[in-house]
Amino acid sequence: MNQARAERVLANLRKIGLGQAIVSDPMSIWYLTGYYTEPYERFFALYLGERDGKLVDVMFCNRLFPDATGAASKIVTFDDTDDPLPLLAQAIDSTQPLGVDKNLAARWLVPLMDMGAAKAVALASPAVDGARSIKDAAEQELMRAASNINDQAMAWLAEQVHVGVTEESIASRLLGEYRSLGAEDHSFTPIVSFGANAADPHHGPDGTILAPGQMVLFDVGCKRQAYCSDMTRTFFTAAPTAHQLEVYDTVRRANEAAEAKIRPGVEFAELDLTARKVIEDAGYGKYFTHRLGHQIGLTDHEPGDVSSTHHEPVQPGMCFSIEPGIYIPGDIGVRIEDLAIVTEDGAEILNHFTHEPTVLTAD
């Protein structure tokens, strides 16, 4: 058990009037204990609470799972034919409300409530998500390492662009490059978009063949020791037209204006509005169709988006994307995305691949 992280979760629980919670998200359990397994349909949970001011932590594992010895102060095991809920109820203080995370399936939650295992049940995800959103020094270093690999992979991707290649062909070979650079996996399904396909922000790579002069968009990320990277760059394959260059430069300026604004105390909403104003002032406001970004860490999209409706101030240790875009259907799509870690007086941008307009030799 990572005592410091568990104490942060407990402190966050106290802020929302709770003294105990069940964590069922496997990545959050890994974050707290260093133990990971994919339970599939089987029950898997970590109970966190306090007794006389001391941490109480109990992990509930099917005997089919890898040995969890040492992951928590107490490990409770059960078989496929056992009902784990009475075992869980024994750990819960029935006189107090119980927090549950958003991942706890109804097939476990409803019977637990019917048993009267706790005085009341409340959503406790903000307590866990809030702890995960502030990356400690070790986590920040892992985020840097993952983004460094992503920078190198982007250079490799640029080299794969040539007339006649398909989106799918490039995307299918990226994992091999990631692994050669020291990553374990994709952090999400890569986006490779040629020409007007890039006007769909989440276009899935398909058999589209690169035609002469088309623009190319790559939105890719990898996992390095469980932590994610995420970056987008858009390239030209011929001298850009005035229209293409105007759209590209508008997105670049929006990205850099928002990144320059990052510092502790600034609201997420202000970052979004800073980038959005640049795009609106250029006359492309209706073509910026999504939020500015999202938090990231053990998963590519973590709670706490960078949007015009999120008024929480950013804090040192938070890591999130800045990814403005312009998407004109049937014409052009441009997005430029970096990850930023909030520092004590500003931000550290984790991606170093150039923002400058780049024309690839695609013959």
Side-chain angles (χ1 to χ4, degrees), residues 103-303:
N103 292 68
L104 186 62
R107 65 186 291 240
W108 306 118
L109 176 58
V110 173
L112 192 67
M113 294 171 66
D114 289 343
M115 292 167 58
K119 181 179 179 181
V121 173
L123 183 64
S125 282
V128 183
D129 295 340
R132 281 178 53 176
S133 73
I134 307 296
K135 274 60 180 176
D136 61 29
E139 290 179 291
Q140 291 182 34
E141 192 57 37
L142 290 170
M143 296 295 294
R144 292 185 190 99
S147 285
N148 179 58
I149 290 173
N150 219 21
D151 279 341
Q152 296 176 68
M154 188 63 72
W156 177 86
L157 285 164
E159 294 172 352
Q160 309 313 304
V161 176
H162 59 84
V163 172
V165 74
T166 67
E167 296 170 343
E168 199 170 45
S169 171
I170 295 178
S172 67
R173 291 180 282 119
L174 177 58
L175 182 57
E177 180 63 16
Y178 274 145
R179 288 177 173 166
S180 75
L181 293 169
E184 293 86 36
D185 202 351
H186 294 294
S187 54
F188 59 94
T189 302
I191 296 172
V192 179
S193 305
F194 297 161
N197 285 348
D200 173 4
H202 284 166
H203 171 72
D206 58 26
T208 299
I209 299 171
L210 182 70
Q214 284 186 324
M215 295 178 69
V216 177
L217 182 150
F218 295 115
D219 184 347
V220 297
C222 65
K223 283 192 173 186
R224 166 70 173 167
Q225 293 182 321
Y227 283 80
C228 297
S229 61
D230 190 354
M231 174 173 58
T232 307
R233 291 294 185 269
T234 308
F235 299 97
F236 303 98
T237 62
T241 66
H243 171 59
Q244 289 174 332
L245 200 57
E246 179 184 53
V247 172
Y248 185 93
D249 185 63
T250 300
V251 174
R252 179 188 60 79
R253 288 188 296 110
N255 170 287
E256 293 173 0
E259 290 181 353
K261 198 83 172 179
I262 301 170
R263 65 182 183 278
V266 171
E267 291 184 359
F268 283 101
E270 187 174 350
L271 301 178
D272 181 283
L273 294 170
T274 296
R276 202 166 298 278
K277 186 175 188 304
V278 173
I279 293 174
E280 289 175 347
D281 287 350
Y284 295 103
K286 70 178 182 179
Y287 299 115
F288 182 13
T289 54
H290 56 73
R291 63 191 179 184
L292 180 61
H294 54 84
Q295 295 198 54
I296 183 171
L298 291 171
T299 57
D300 179 55
H301 283 214
E302 295 195 335

